[in-house]
Amino acid sequence: MIPLEKRIDLLRVIAHPIRIRILEELTHGVKCVSDFEDSLDISQPNVSQHLILLRTNGVIDFFVDGRLKCYFLKEPLIPDMLELLKKEYAEDIPAPACCPVTKKRTYPGERRR
Amino acid sequence: MIPLEKRIDLLRVIAHPIRIRILEELTHGVKCVSDFEDSLDISQPNVSQHLILLRTNGVIDFFVDGRLKCYFLKEPLIPDMLELLKKEYAEDIPAPACCPVTKKRTYPGERRR
DNA sequence: TTAAAGCATAATAATATTTGCATGTATTTA
DNA sequence: TAAATACATGCAAATATTATTATGCTTTAA
């Protein structure tokens, strides 16, 4: 059982436009830092910082290939997460039927008062 | 087609321990502010601030019942997200087979050099 | 063996997030 | 009508996140 706290940390780490793009690209295969430098159009140190943040949180990892660092996806939740982010929903959750219970001030269960 | 940017904002808003707990509780039914004040063990203004942040981002909404504000889930992605956060994975994504392509410095596609 | 490529690190500045505290408003009850 | 309940708002302080700049290390190529 993985602790929810860890998963929330994971959410925080993922929740950034640049890092989402990094993860998207990594679903298509291995990439090195300068690949991202080209495709993301941000500075190389900034790329490194995002990659390091992702790595220290277990989201990605790399192997060394000469002077390249080849990053790849590690966290299995990521593909599911990216898919969920693109999922379309027809409509909002409907508001609760208006409101026999709360109008009496007696919430289901233990409404104190 | 909902823009990815909006979904990333949604991620940012969700990615907080208190707000995740709020959303968890709302999956079980309508709650008012003081309900959260009890269950979350944080100050009332802090509860309000989290609720307002969730509301201004379209995650939740409320109806007024006398002097109570009864909050409920609105964003249909939330239940799926909470489920995904609890999903267990047997193992990490395996590292790419070591590494015929990158060792030649010829990434699939357009490796420059 | 020098230079360049590829990447990381450190320090700083800018910005955003989060919380705490004090106070304000509306609704209900006494 | 005064007090209490339920909640919001404003402001400041603390903290976290992000980007920038300069620099350093390692590996490869000339």
Side-chain angles (χ1 to χ4, degrees), chain A residues 32-35 44-45 48-49 52 67-69 71 105 113:
Chain A
C32 70
V33 179
S34 49
D35 287 329
Q44 174 268 313
S48 272
Q49 284 168 9
I52 288 168
R67 53 185 170 182
L68 303 182
K69 284 199 179 176
Y71 282 88
R105 311 280 193 275
R113 199 171 257 271

Short mmCIF file of all heavy atoms in Angstrom, two decimals, chain A residues 32-35 44-45 48-49 52 67-69 71 105 113, chain C residues 3-12 17-18 27-29:
data_model
loop_
_atom_site.label_atom_id
_atom_site.label_comp_id
_atom_site.label_asym_id
_atom_site.label_seq_id
_atom_site.Cartn_x
_atom_site.Cartn_y
_atom_site.Cartn_z
N CYS A 32 17.40 12.82 -24.28
CA CYS A 32 18.47 13.40 -23.48
C CYS A 32 18.20 14.88 -23.23
O CYS A 32 17.28 15.46 -23.81
CB CYS A 32 19.83 13.19 -24.12
SG CYS A 32 20.08 14.18 -25.60
N VAL A 33 18.99 15.47 -22.36
CA VAL A 33 18.73 16.83 -21.89
C VAL A 33 18.65 17.82 -23.04
O VAL A 33 17.75 18.65 -23.11
CB VAL A 33 19.81 17.27 -20.88
CG1 VAL A 33 19.56 18.69 -20.41
CG2 VAL A 33 19.83 16.32 -19.70
N SER A 34 19.59 17.70 -23.97
CA SER A 34 19.59 18.70 -25.05
C SER A 34 18.46 18.49 -26.04
O SER A 34 18.07 19.42 -26.74
CB SER A 34 20.94 18.69 -25.77
OG SER A 34 21.32 17.39 -26.12
N ASP A 35 17.90 17.28 -26.09
CA ASP A 35 16.66 17.09 -26.84
C ASP A 35 15.57 17.99 -26.27
O ASP A 35 14.87 18.68 -27.00
CB ASP A 35 16.19 15.63 -26.75
CG ASP A 35 17.04 14.69 -27.59
OD1 ASP A 35 17.56 15.14 -28.63
OD2 ASP A 35 17.19 13.52 -27.21
N GLN A 44 19.00 25.51 -20.66
CA GLN A 44 19.48 24.19 -20.28
C GLN A 44 19.47 23.98 -18.77
O GLN A 44 19.03 22.91 -18.31
CB GLN A 44 20.89 23.97 -20.86
CG GLN A 44 21.55 22.68 -20.41
CD GLN A 44 22.40 22.90 -19.18
OE1 GLN A 44 23.18 23.84 -19.10
NE2 GLN A 44 22.28 22.03 -18.19
N PRO A 45 19.91 24.94 -17.96
CA PRO A 45 19.81 24.71 -16.51
C PRO A 45 18.38 24.49 -16.05
O PRO A 45 18.13 23.67 -15.16
CB PRO A 45 20.39 25.99 -15.91
CG PRO A 45 21.33 26.50 -16.93
CD PRO A 45 20.67 26.17 -18.25
N SER A 48 17.47 20.98 -16.80
CA SER A 48 18.10 20.10 -15.81
C SER A 48 17.34 20.11 -14.48
O SER A 48 17.14 19.07 -13.87
CB SER A 48 19.54 20.54 -15.56
OG SER A 48 20.41 19.93 -16.48
N GLN A 49 16.93 21.31 -14.07
CA GLN A 49 16.24 21.39 -12.79
C GLN A 49 14.92 20.64 -12.80
O GLN A 49 14.60 19.92 -11.85
CB GLN A 49 16.01 22.85 -12.41
CG GLN A 49 17.29 23.51 -11.91
CD GLN A 49 17.15 25.02 -11.82
OE1 GLN A 49 16.05 25.55 -11.96
NE2 GLN A 49 18.24 25.71 -11.58
N ILE A 52 15.75 16.94 -12.77
CA ILE A 52 16.23 16.49 -11.46
C ILE A 52 15.08 16.37 -10.48
O ILE A 52 15.00 15.40 -9.70
CB ILE A 52 17.31 17.46 -10.95
CG1 ILE A 52 18.60 17.26 -11.76
CG2 ILE A 52 17.57 17.26 -9.46
CD1 ILE A 52 19.63 18.34 -11.55
N ARG A 67 28.53 11.12 -23.15
CA ARG A 67 28.27 12.36 -22.44
C ARG A 67 26.79 12.73 -22.46
O ARG A 67 26.42 13.82 -22.07
CB ARG A 67 29.12 13.50 -23.00
CG ARG A 67 29.01 13.68 -24.47
CD ARG A 67 30.00 14.77 -24.93
NE ARG A 67 30.06 14.79 -26.39
CZ ARG A 67 30.86 15.60 -27.07
NH1 ARG A 67 31.64 16.42 -26.42
NH2 ARG A 67 30.86 15.56 -28.38
N LEU A 68 25.98 11.81 -22.90
CA LEU A 68 24.54 12.04 -22.85
C LEU A 68 23.94 11.41 -21.60
O LEU A 68 24.43 10.39 -21.11
CB LEU A 68 23.86 11.42 -24.08
CG LEU A 68 24.33 11.88 -25.45
CD1 LEU A 68 23.52 11.20 -26.52
CD2 LEU A 68 24.24 13.40 -25.56
N LYS A 69 22.90 12.06 -21.09
CA LYS A 69 22.06 11.40 -20.09
C LYS A 69 20.73 11.12 -20.74
O LYS A 69 20.03 12.03 -21.18
CB LYS A 69 21.89 12.28 -18.86
CG LYS A 69 23.12 12.29 -17.98
CD LYS A 69 22.77 12.77 -16.60
CE LYS A 69 24.01 12.76 -15.71
NZ LYS A 69 23.70 13.32 -14.38
N TYR A 71 17.16 10.00 -20.48
CA TYR A 71 16.07 9.89 -19.50
C TYR A 71 14.94 9.03 -20.03
O TYR A 71 14.67 9.01 -21.23
CB TYR A 71 15.54 11.29 -19.16
CG TYR A 71 16.45 12.04 -18.20
CD1 TYR A 71 17.50 12.82 -18.67
CD2 TYR A 71 16.23 11.95 -16.83
CE1 TYR A 71 18.32 13.51 -17.78
CE2 TYR A 71 17.05 12.63 -15.94
CZ TYR A 71 18.08 13.41 -16.43
OH TYR A 71 18.90 14.08 -15.55
N ARG A 105 -31.61 20.75 8.43
CA ARG A 105 -30.40 20.81 9.26
C ARG A 105 -30.03 19.45 9.83
O ARG A 105 -29.50 19.34 10.91
CB ARG A 105 -30.58 21.77 10.45
CG ARG A 105 -31.11 23.11 10.10
CD ARG A 105 -29.98 23.96 9.55
NE ARG A 105 -30.41 25.35 9.50
CZ ARG A 105 -31.11 25.85 8.47
NH1 ARG A 105 -31.43 25.08 7.46
NH2 ARG A 105 -31.45 27.12 8.48
N ARG A 113 -25.64 20.08 16.19
CA ARG A 113 -26.38 21.33 16.25
C ARG A 113 -27.16 21.41 17.54
O ARG A 113 -27.65 20.40 18.00
CB ARG A 113 -27.36 21.44 15.06
CG ARG A 113 -27.80 22.84 14.81
CD ARG A 113 -28.57 22.87 13.52
NE ARG A 113 -27.71 23.43 12.49
CZ ARG A 113 -27.65 24.74 12.26
NH1 ARG A 113 -28.36 25.58 13.00
NH2 ARG A 113 -26.89 25.22 11.33
P DA C 3 42.47 25.72 -25.88
OP1 DA C 3 42.88 26.98 -26.52
OP2 DA C 3 42.28 25.64 -24.43
"O5'" DA C 3 41.14 25.22 -26.60
"C5'" DA C 3 41.21 24.76 -27.94
"C4'" DA C 3 39.87 24.20 -28.36
"O4'" DA C 3 39.71 22.86 -27.84
"C3'" DA C 3 38.67 25.01 -27.84
"O3'" DA C 3 37.67 25.03 -28.83
"C2'" DA C 3 38.23 24.22 -26.62
"C1'" DA C 3 38.53 22.79 -27.06
N9 DA C 3 38.79 21.87 -25.95
C8 DA C 3 39.50 22.12 -24.81
N7 DA C 3 39.58 21.09 -23.99
C5 DA C 3 38.87 20.10 -24.64
C6 DA C 3 38.57 18.76 -24.29
N6 DA C 3 38.99 18.19 -23.17
N1 DA C 3 37.83 18.05 -25.16
C2 DA C 3 37.42 18.63 -26.29
N3 DA C 3 37.64 19.88 -26.73
C4 DA C 3 38.37 20.56 -25.85
P DA C 4 36.48 26.04 -28.79
OP1 DA C 4 36.53 26.86 -30.01
OP2 DA C 4 36.46 26.67 -27.45
"O5'" DA C 4 35.21 25.08 -28.90
"C5'" DA C 4 35.25 23.99 -29.83
"C4'" DA C 4 34.32 22.91 -29.35
"O4'" DA C 4 34.92 22.23 -28.23
"C3'" DA C 4 32.95 23.43 -28.87
"O3'" DA C 4 31.96 22.71 -29.57
"C2'" DA C 4 32.94 23.12 -27.38
"C1'" DA C 4 33.88 21.93 -27.30
N9 DA C 4 34.52 21.73 -26.00
C8 DA C 4 35.18 22.64 -25.24
N7 DA C 4 35.65 22.16 -24.11
C5 DA C 4 35.27 20.82 -24.14
C6 DA C 4 35.48 19.76 -23.24
N6 DA C 4 36.14 19.89 -22.09
N1 DA C 4 34.97 18.55 -23.58
C2 DA C 4 34.32 18.43 -24.74
N3 DA C 4 34.07 19.35 -25.67
C4 DA C 4 34.58 20.54 -25.30
P DA C 5 30.44 23.05 -29.44
OP1 DA C 5 29.85 23.18 -30.79
OP2 DA C 5 30.30 24.16 -28.47
"O5'" DA C 5 29.86 21.73 -28.78
"C5'" DA C 5 30.29 20.47 -29.30
"C4'" DA C 5 29.76 19.37 -28.41
"O4'" DA C 5 30.54 19.33 -27.19
"C3'" DA C 5 28.30 19.56 -27.98
"O3'" DA C 5 27.64 18.30 -28.05
"C2'" DA C 5 28.40 20.07 -26.55
"C1'" DA C 5 29.69 19.40 -26.07
N9 DA C 5 30.43 20.17 -25.07
C8 DA C 5 30.71 21.50 -25.06
N7 DA C 5 31.42 21.90 -24.03
C5 DA C 5 31.60 20.74 -23.30
C6 DA C 5 32.27 20.47 -22.08
N6 DA C 5 32.91 21.43 -21.37
N1 DA C 5 32.28 19.21 -21.63
C2 DA C 5 31.65 18.26 -22.35
N3 DA C 5 30.99 18.39 -23.50
C4 DA C 5 31.00 19.67 -23.93
P DG C 6 26.08 18.22 -27.82
OP1 DG C 6 25.56 17.07 -28.57
OP2 DG C 6 25.52 19.57 -27.99
"O5'" DG C 6 26.01 17.86 -26.27
"C5'" DG C 6 26.42 16.57 -25.85
"C4'" DG C 6 26.18 16.46 -24.36
"O4'" DG C 6 27.15 17.29 -23.68
"C3'" DG C 6 24.80 16.95 -23.92
"O3'" DG C 6 24.15 15.94 -23.18
"C2'" DG C 6 25.10 18.18 -23.08
"C1'" DG C 6 26.51 17.89 -22.59
N9 DG C 6 27.28 19.07 -22.22
C8 DG C 6 27.32 20.27 -22.87
N7 DG C 6 28.11 21.15 -22.30
C5 DG C 6 28.62 20.48 -21.20
C6 DG C 6 29.53 20.91 -20.20
O6 DG C 6 30.07 22.01 -20.08
N1 DG C 6 29.78 19.89 -19.26
C2 DG C 6 29.24 18.64 -19.29
N2 DG C 6 29.60 17.81 -18.31
N3 DG C 6 28.38 18.23 -20.22
C4 DG C 6 28.12 19.19 -21.14
P DC C 7 22.66 16.15 -22.72
OP1 DC C 7 22.02 14.83 -22.65
OP2 DC C 7 22.05 17.25 -23.50
"O5'" DC C 7 22.88 16.65 -21.23
"C5'" DC C 7 23.55 15.77 -20.33
"C4'" DC C 7 24.02 16.52 -19.12
"O4'" DC C 7 24.85 17.64 -19.49
"C3'" DC C 7 22.93 17.13 -18.25
"O3'" DC C 7 22.66 16.26 -17.15
"C2'" DC C 7 23.50 18.48 -17.80
"C1'" DC C 7 24.93 18.45 -18.35
N1 DC C 7 25.43 19.79 -18.73
C2 DC C 7 26.41 20.37 -17.95
O2 DC C 7 26.84 19.77 -16.97
N3 DC C 7 26.86 21.61 -18.27
C4 DC C 7 26.37 22.24 -19.34
N4 DC C 7 26.86 23.46 -19.62
C5 DC C 7 25.37 21.66 -20.17
C6 DC C 7 24.93 20.43 -19.83
P DA C 8 21.73 16.73 -15.97
OP1 DA C 8 21.19 15.50 -15.39
OP2 DA C 8 20.83 17.79 -16.44
"O5'" DA C 8 22.75 17.39 -14.92
"C5'" DA C 8 23.84 16.62 -14.46
"C4'" DA C 8 24.61 17.39 -13.40
"O4'" DA C 8 25.21 18.57 -13.97
"C3'" DA C 8 23.76 17.87 -12.22
"O3'" DA C 8 24.47 17.58 -11.03
"C2'" DA C 8 23.60 19.37 -12.46
"C1'" DA C 8 24.86 19.72 -13.21
N9 DA C 8 24.70 20.81 -14.18
C8 DA C 8 23.84 20.86 -15.25
N7 DA C 8 23.93 21.95 -15.96
C5 DA C 8 24.93 22.69 -15.33
C6 DA C 8 25.50 23.95 -15.60
N6 DA C 8 25.13 24.72 -16.63
N1 DA C 8 26.48 24.38 -14.77
C2 DA C 8 26.85 23.59 -13.74
N3 DA C 8 26.39 22.39 -13.38
C4 DA C 8 25.42 21.99 -14.23
P DT C 9 23.84 17.78 -9.61
OP1 DT C 9 24.37 16.72 -8.75
OP2 DT C 9 22.40 17.98 -9.81
"O5'" DT C 9 24.45 19.18 -9.11
"C5'" DT C 9 25.84 19.40 -9.21
"C4'" DT C 9 26.16 20.82 -8.81
"O4'" DT C 9 25.91 21.71 -9.90
"C3'" DT C 9 25.33 21.34 -7.62
"O3'" DT C 9 26.24 21.86 -6.67
"C2'" DT C 9 24.46 22.42 -8.24
"C1'" DT C 9 25.31 22.88 -9.40
N1 DT C 9 24.60 23.48 -10.56
C2 DT C 9 25.05 24.67 -11.07
O2 DT C 9 26.01 25.28 -10.61
N3 DT C 9 24.35 25.15 -12.15
C4 DT C 9 23.25 24.56 -12.75
O4 DT C 9 22.70 25.08 -13.71
C5 DT C 9 22.83 23.31 -12.17
C7 DT C 9 21.66 22.58 -12.75
C6 DT C 9 23.51 22.83 -11.12
P DA C 10 25.76 22.17 -5.17
OP1 DA C 10 26.70 21.53 -4.23
OP2 DA C 10 24.31 21.90 -5.08
"O5'" DA C 10 25.97 23.74 -5.10
"C5'" DA C 10 27.02 24.35 -5.86
"C4'" DA C 10 26.85 25.86 -5.81
"O4'" DA C 10 26.20 26.31 -7.03
"C3'" DA C 10 25.98 26.35 -4.66
"O3'" DA C 10 26.58 27.51 -4.12
"C2'" DA C 10 24.64 26.64 -5.31
"C1'" DA C 10 25.06 27.08 -6.71
N9 DA C 10 24.07 26.85 -7.75
C8 DA C 10 23.21 25.79 -7.87
N7 DA C 10 22.44 25.84 -8.93
C5 DA C 10 22.81 27.01 -9.55
C6 DA C 10 22.36 27.65 -10.73
N6 DA C 10 21.40 27.16 -11.51
N1 DA C 10 22.95 28.82 -11.07
C2 DA C 10 23.92 29.31 -10.28
N3 DA C 10 24.42 28.80 -9.15
C4 DA C 10 23.81 27.65 -8.84
P DA C 11 26.07 28.17 -2.78
OP1 DA C 11 27.22 28.31 -1.87
OP2 DA C 11 24.86 27.45 -2.34
"O5'" DA C 11 25.66 29.61 -3.29
"C5'" DA C 11 26.37 30.19 -4.38
"C4'" DA C 11 25.59 31.38 -4.90
"O4'" DA C 11 24.72 30.96 -5.98
"C3'" DA C 11 24.68 32.02 -3.84
"O3'" DA C 11 24.79 33.43 -3.94
"C2'" DA C 11 23.30 31.52 -4.21
"C1'" DA C 11 23.41 31.42 -5.73
N9 DA C 11 22.47 30.49 -6.33
C8 DA C 11 22.04 29.29 -5.84
N7 DA C 11 21.18 28.67 -6.61
C5 DA C 11 21.04 29.51 -7.69
C6 DA C 11 20.28 29.43 -8.87
N6 DA C 11 19.47 28.41 -9.14
N1 DA C 11 20.37 30.45 -9.75
C2 DA C 11 21.19 31.49 -9.47
N3 DA C 11 21.96 31.67 -8.39
C4 DA C 11 21.84 30.64 -7.54
P DT C 12 24.09 34.38 -2.87
OP1 DT C 12 25.09 35.35 -2.43
OP2 DT C 12 23.37 33.52 -1.90
"O5'" DT C 12 22.99 35.13 -3.76
"C5'" DT C 12 23.35 35.58 -5.05
"C4'" DT C 12 22.11 35.82 -5.86
"O4'" DT C 12 21.51 34.56 -6.22
"C3'" DT C 12 21.02 36.60 -5.12
"O3'" DT C 12 20.88 37.87 -5.74
"C2'" DT C 12 19.76 35.73 -5.28
"C1'" DT C 12 20.14 34.79 -6.40
N1 DT C 12 19.46 33.47 -6.42
C2 DT C 12 18.72 33.14 -7.54
O2 DT C 12 18.59 33.89 -8.50
N3 DT C 12 18.13 31.90 -7.51
C4 DT C 12 18.21 30.99 -6.47
O4 DT C 12 17.63 29.91 -6.56
C5 DT C 12 19.00 31.39 -5.34
C7 DT C 12 19.13 30.45 -4.18
C6 DT C 12 19.58 32.59 -5.37
P DT C 17 -0.01 30.02 -7.22
OP1 DT C 17 -0.48 28.92 -8.08
OP2 DT C 17 -0.79 31.27 -7.08
"O5'" DT C 17 0.27 29.41 -5.78
"C5'" DT C 17 1.37 28.54 -5.61
"C4'" DT C 17 1.52 28.18 -4.16
"O4'" DT C 17 2.13 29.27 -3.44
"C3'" DT C 17 0.21 27.87 -3.43
"O3'" DT C 17 0.40 26.63 -2.78
"C2'" DT C 17 0.04 29.05 -2.46
"C1'" DT C 17 1.49 29.44 -2.20
N1 DT C 17 1.74 30.84 -1.80
C2 DT C 17 2.42 31.08 -0.64
O2 DT C 17 2.82 30.19 0.10
N3 DT C 17 2.65 32.41 -0.36
C4 DT C 17 2.26 33.50 -1.12
O4 DT C 17 2.52 34.64 -0.77
C5 DT C 17 1.54 33.18 -2.33
C7 DT C 17 1.10 34.27 -3.23
C6 DT C 17 1.33 31.88 -2.61
P DT C 18 -0.81 25.88 -2.08
OP1 DT C 18 -0.50 24.44 -2.13
OP2 DT C 18 -2.08 26.41 -2.63
"O5'" DT C 18 -0.69 26.36 -0.57
"C5'" DT C 18 0.48 26.03 0.17
"C4'" DT C 18 0.46 26.72 1.50
"O4'" DT C 18 0.68 28.12 1.32
"C3'" DT C 18 -0.87 26.61 2.26
"O3'" DT C 18 -0.69 25.74 3.37
"C2'" DT C 18 -1.21 28.06 2.67
"C1'" DT C 18 0.10 28.79 2.41
N1 DT C 18 -0.04 30.22 2.01
C2 DT C 18 0.61 31.18 2.75
O2 DT C 18 1.28 30.92 3.74
N3 DT C 18 0.44 32.46 2.30
C4 DT C 18 -0.30 32.87 1.20
O4 DT C 18 -0.37 34.06 0.90
C5 DT C 18 -0.95 31.82 0.47
C7 DT C 18 -1.77 32.13 -0.75
C6 DT C 18 -0.79 30.55 0.90
P DT C 27 -28.81 36.94 4.86
OP1 DT C 27 -29.14 36.35 3.54
OP2 DT C 27 -29.42 38.22 5.31
"O5'" DT C 27 -29.11 35.83 5.96
"C5'" DT C 27 -28.37 34.62 5.94
"C4'" DT C 27 -28.50 33.95 7.28
"O4'" DT C 27 -27.77 34.70 8.28
"C3'" DT C 27 -29.94 33.84 7.81
"O3'" DT C 27 -30.22 32.48 8.04
"C2'" DT C 27 -29.94 34.66 9.10
"C1'" DT C 27 -28.47 34.61 9.50
N1 DT C 27 -27.99 35.72 10.36
C2 DT C 27 -27.43 35.40 11.57
O2 DT C 27 -27.30 34.26 11.97
N3 DT C 27 -26.99 36.48 12.30
C4 DT C 27 -27.07 37.81 11.94
O4 DT C 27 -26.64 38.69 12.69
C5 DT C 27 -27.68 38.07 10.66
C7 DT C 27 -27.81 39.48 10.18
C6 DT C 27 -28.10 37.02 9.93
P DT C 28 -31.73 31.99 8.22
OP1 DT C 28 -31.88 30.71 7.49
OP2 DT C 28 -32.62 33.14 7.96
"O5'" DT C 28 -31.76 31.66 9.78
"C5'" DT C 28 -30.83 30.72 10.29
"C4'" DT C 28 -30.61 30.97 11.76
"O4'" DT C 28 -30.17 32.32 11.98
"C3'" DT C 28 -31.85 30.79 12.65
"O3'" DT C 28 -31.62 29.69 13.50
"C2'" DT C 28 -31.99 32.12 13.40
"C1'" DT C 28 -30.56 32.68 13.28
N1 DT C 28 -30.44 34.16 13.40
C2 DT C 28 -29.77 34.67 14.47
O2 DT C 28 -29.28 33.98 15.35
N3 DT C 28 -29.68 36.05 14.49
C4 DT C 28 -30.19 36.93 13.55
O4 DT C 28 -30.04 38.14 13.68
C5 DT C 28 -30.88 36.33 12.44
C7 DT C 28 -31.46 37.19 11.36
C6 DT C 28 -30.98 34.98 12.41
P DT C 29 -32.87 28.98 14.21
OP1 DT C 29 -32.68 27.53 14.05
OP2 DT C 29 -34.11 29.64 13.77
"O5'" DT C 29 -32.61 29.35 15.74
"C5'" DT C 29 -31.30 29.18 16.26
"C4'" DT C 29 -31.13 30.03 17.51
"O4'" DT C 29 -31.04 31.43 17.16
"C3'" DT C 29 -32.27 29.90 18.52
"O3'" DT C 29 -31.71 29.60 19.79
"C2'" DT C 29 -32.93 31.30 18.51
"C1'" DT C 29 -31.73 32.17 18.14
N1 DT C 29 -32.05 33.50 17.52
C2 DT C 29 -31.47 34.62 18.06
O2 DT C 29 -30.73 34.60 19.02
N3 DT C 29 -31.81 35.80 17.41
C4 DT C 29 -32.64 35.94 16.31
O4 DT C 29 -32.86 37.05 15.85
C5 DT C 29 -33.20 34.71 15.80
C7 DT C 29 -34.11 34.76 14.62
C6 DT C 29 -32.89 33.56 16.43
#
